[in-house]
Amino acid sequence: MSRLVVVSNRVALPGASQSGGLATALDAALKETGGLWFGWSGKVARAHSGEVHREAHGEITYLTVDLSREDYEGYYNGFANRTLWPLLHFRLDLVDYNAMTQAAYRGVNALFAEKLAKELRDDDIVWVHDYHLFPLAQELRKRGVRARIGFFLHVPFPSADIVAGLPHHEKTFGALSSYDLVGFQTERDLERFQDYIRLFRGGRVAGQGDLRDHDGRQFVAAAFPIGIDAAAIESLAATAARSPVTKRMHASLNGRALAIGVDRLDYSKGLPERFRAIERFFERHADQRGKMTYLQIAPVSRGGVASYRALRRELEQYAGHINGAHAEPDWTPVRYVNRTYPHPALTGFYRLSRMGLVTPLRDGMNLVAKEYVASQDGDDPGALVLSIFAGAARELDGALLVNPFDSDGVSDAIAAAMAMPREARRERWQSMIARIREYDIHAWRKDFLKTLAATRG
Ligand code: ADP
């Protein structure tokens, strides 16, 4: 069996706090074959980029590289977060293009390739994650690497015309044909990528999943909708239901229904639009005032970027505005919290909620939607209000699907969720949980790796 090599911007070292579902699944995959996990160390070095740290834990070796302040600013804060992130989420208006950060991005990918190439054997299977590393395979191939290399994009792939709005887009996106397999969250992302290859790269779709770049290079592209560690979340939620944090939360509601939203404070999540829908709900359903409390948990993210700071200010004002207009002395309609919670607490809050609101303007998958469903008590589950622009909408057909730009439509869905009888909630939940259990994070990683191993005949 081939050795697995995982490459991601951040490496989940053992014992680190961020042991999410993806880290657990990749760890399990690495343990099966023995393997290497490569990426940025998370450290900003005083002088130059490039110092390598090697740590072995059991069958897994962790290899991490320090970056200089300049490289970190250009590659990570610059091109990845200010240019690619908005572009990939269809926000050409927020794209901040700068030739210097683009060069830093390419330079860091080249540096990673230089360090990694020395470690690789021809029969390795290399799995590269996410938009920080689009050109990595091209840089590895330049250095003579012949191993199979796959790439998975965790965020959306936008329409071809949007991609083409990025100056020198072919340098970044054309590099994807150097992979043997390129994986996306949904079939729609895959189709948009195929359009890009056809319309802007002079390539063609040769058959099921089989693509040819303009120079004839053959590679495979397919959809692998990422899952969660369903069994782990279900058991966390069942235990959390009895925890003191959940009980305190329950007591604070005074018998009112709880609606919940949990999102990083990011413009892709559609938070102002969601607050608007909540406001419309209380305006249009006066009888519901005092019956529902909305809890928005939104940890601050990328606070160094101006558009994120502006969003934070906007939401603070908006929450105050809704509460000012509708609150009663003994009832606050919106509770707005800017902090992170460990999964056991979050799953307890999800389980307590009558509905989950997941209404991004664009989202690759949205794992919160799946975690919300997996946290429910199957006997009396909450309803999920879900944006048609989240990747998860393709799978979670038991959700109340909404267009996040239509605040009246979302407020109607909130009203429908509030009024939904238990039997209807159960039926919808059952179809969703079946899918979540079947294609969980482990099924997902096995599917991707099997497909990658089967490329090149
Ligand atoms: P994104 O990757 O864009 O942040 P996802 O919904 O796909 O969005 O994944 C977010 C992950 O972060 C989920 O696993 C979720 O549970 C976790 N998360 C989101 N908000 C919080 C929070 N306030 N505290 C702790 N974890 C959070």
Side-chain angles (χ1 to χ4, degrees):
M1 215 164 160
S2 299
R3 178 179 72 153
L4 175 63
V5 177
V6 169
V7 190
S8 56
N9 174 57
R10 292 300 289 268
V11 174
L13 288 167
S17 56
Q18 82 273 36
S19 52
L22 176 63
T24 313
L26 293 177
D27 233 52
L30 286 163
K31 277 187 186 128
E32 273 171 21
T33 57
L36 179 69
W37 195 335
F38 179 94
W40 174 43
S41 62
K43 293 198 193 91
V44 175
R46 274 171 194 242
H48 302 291
S49 296
E51 191 177 332
V52 176
H53 308 272
R54 187 183 295 267
E55 255 182 69
H57 293 266
E59 320 73 38
I60 310 176
T61 301
Y62 298 85
L63 211 62
T64 58
V65 183
D66 295 348
L67 292 179
S68 67
R69 167 71 50 197
E70 207 180 346
D71 278 342
Y72 168 73
E73 288 298 334
Y75 148 79
Y76 183 73
N77 274 340
F79 200 67
N81 282 350
R82 286 187 163 91
T83 311
L84 291 176
W85 178 270
L87 184 86
L88 292 162
H89 289 85
F90 291 65
R91 295 296 301 270
L92 210 38
D93 58 319
L94 293 178
V95 168
D96 177 3
Y97 174 74
N98 177 320
M100 262 154 52
T101 62
Q102 187 172 38
Y105 175 84
R106 178 54 85 153
V108 168
N109 272 270
L111 171 76
F112 283 173
E114 186 189 312
K115 303 292 178 193
L116 182 58
K118 296 179 191 142
E119 305 283 331
L120 295 180
R121 310 190 287 250
D122 284 355
D123 63 345
D124 283 339
I125 289 267
V126 184
W127 188 1
V128 179
H129 289 262
D130 231 359
Y131 61 97
H132 313 87
L133 299 168
F134 283 128
L136 191 71
Q138 194 175 52
E139 294 293 340
L140 286 169
R141 300 284 183 226
K142 275 190 206 162
R143 289 163 178 80
V145 170
R146 295 216 301 263
R148 282 191 181 85
I149 315 178
F151 177 87
F152 184 77
L153 184 64
H154 289 260
V155 298
F157 192 86
S159 308
D161 288 292
I162 292 183
V163 178
L166 178 73
H168 311 292
H169 57 87
E170 63 289 343
K171 277 194 195 160
T172 303
F173 292 98
L176 282 169
S177 67
S178 295
Y179 289 96
D180 295 292
L181 171 64
V182 181
F184 297 95
Q185 297 279 27
T186 68
E187 292 289 332
R188 284 292 294 136
D189 294 291
L190 171 63
E191 284 161 11
R192 290 189 290 252
F193 177 66
Q194 289 172 338
D195 283 350
Y196 173 73
I197 294 294
R198 267 189 321 107
L199 300 172
F200 293 97
R201 292 288 300 164
R204 67 190 173 89
V205 180
Q208 175 105 53
D210 183 9
L211 290 178
R212 301 289 148 89
D213 206 354
H214 62 97
D215 58 4
R217 219 198 106 75
Q218 182 193 342
F219 65 113
V220 177
F224 303 90
I226 197 168
I228 58 169
D229 193 342
I233 296 281
E234 286 188 58
S235 105
L236 272 183
T239 313
R242 297 185 295 276
S243 78
V245 192
T246 314
K247 284 188 177 149
R248 259 205 325 276
M249 179 73 193
H250 185 241
S252 80
L253 293 170
N254 278 330
R256 298 186 172 99
L258 179 66
I260 192 169
V262 174
D263 313 73
R264 258 183 328 101
L265 220 167
D266 191 291
Y267 48 76
S268 65
K269 304 292 182 185
L271 294 169
E273 290 79 1
R274 192 182 310 160
F275 279 26
R276 171 89 187 124
I278 296 281
E279 185 179 27
R280 291 296 288 148
F281 172 71
F282 289 123
E283 284 169 4
R284 297 168 81 221
H285 302 272
D287 60 311
Q288 294 291 320
R289 286 186 200 152
K291 296 201 175 134
M292 183 191 94
T293 297
Y294 179 58
L295 169 63
Q296 175 65 56
I297 298 180
V300 174
S301 140
R302 303 177 193 171
V305 182
S307 49
Y308 286 76
R309 288 198 299 271
L311 175 66
R312 187 176 179 188
R313 277 195 303 276
E314 182 183 356
L315 289 173
E316 279 163 2
Q317 279 181 8
Y318 212 158
H321 168 76
I322 299 174
N323 285 337
H326 298 286
E328 301 287 343
D330 62 345
W331 171 63
T332 311
V334 175
R335 296 184 189 179
Y336 179 52
V337 188
N338 283 135
R339 45 167 288 205
T340 60
Y341 287 90
H343 264 122
L346 276 186
T347 55
F349 296 162
Y350 291 147
R351 197 175 174 103
L352 203 58
S353 305
R354 181 62 184 275
M355 89 187 72
L357 289 179
V358 180
T359 56
L361 307 182
R362 283 288 163 187
D363 217 326
M365 174 53 62
N366 197 294
L367 296 175
V368 167
K370 292 186 174 179
E371 290 168 3
Y372 176 78
V373 173
S375 298
Q376 298 307 305
D377 171 1
D379 199 37
D380 188 12
L384 176 65
V385 175
L386 179 62
S387 163
I388 50 175
F389 300 120
R394 305 270 144 184
E395 295 169 90
L396 303 184
D397 52 1
L400 291 157
L401 292 179
V402 294
N403 180 334
F405 297 100
D406 173 11
S407 52
D408 282 355
V410 178
S411 81
D412 286 344
I414 295 171
M418 279 290 283
M420 194 181 288
R422 182 160 154 176
E423 199 41 49
R425 281 184 276 122
R426 265 197 212 147
E427 245 170 57
R428 284 171 176 268
W429 179 78
Q430 266 154 9
S431 82
M432 294 193 281
I433 195 70
R435 166 68 192 173
I436 290 172
R437 284 177 183 153
E438 180 201 341
Y439 201 77
D440 71 353
I441 187 83
H442 294 291
W444 169 81
R445 54 117 172 146
K446 284 178 190 159
D447 191 15
F448 184 94
L449 289 172
K450 198 173 101 211
T451 311
L452 177 54
T455 56
R456 299 195 214 164

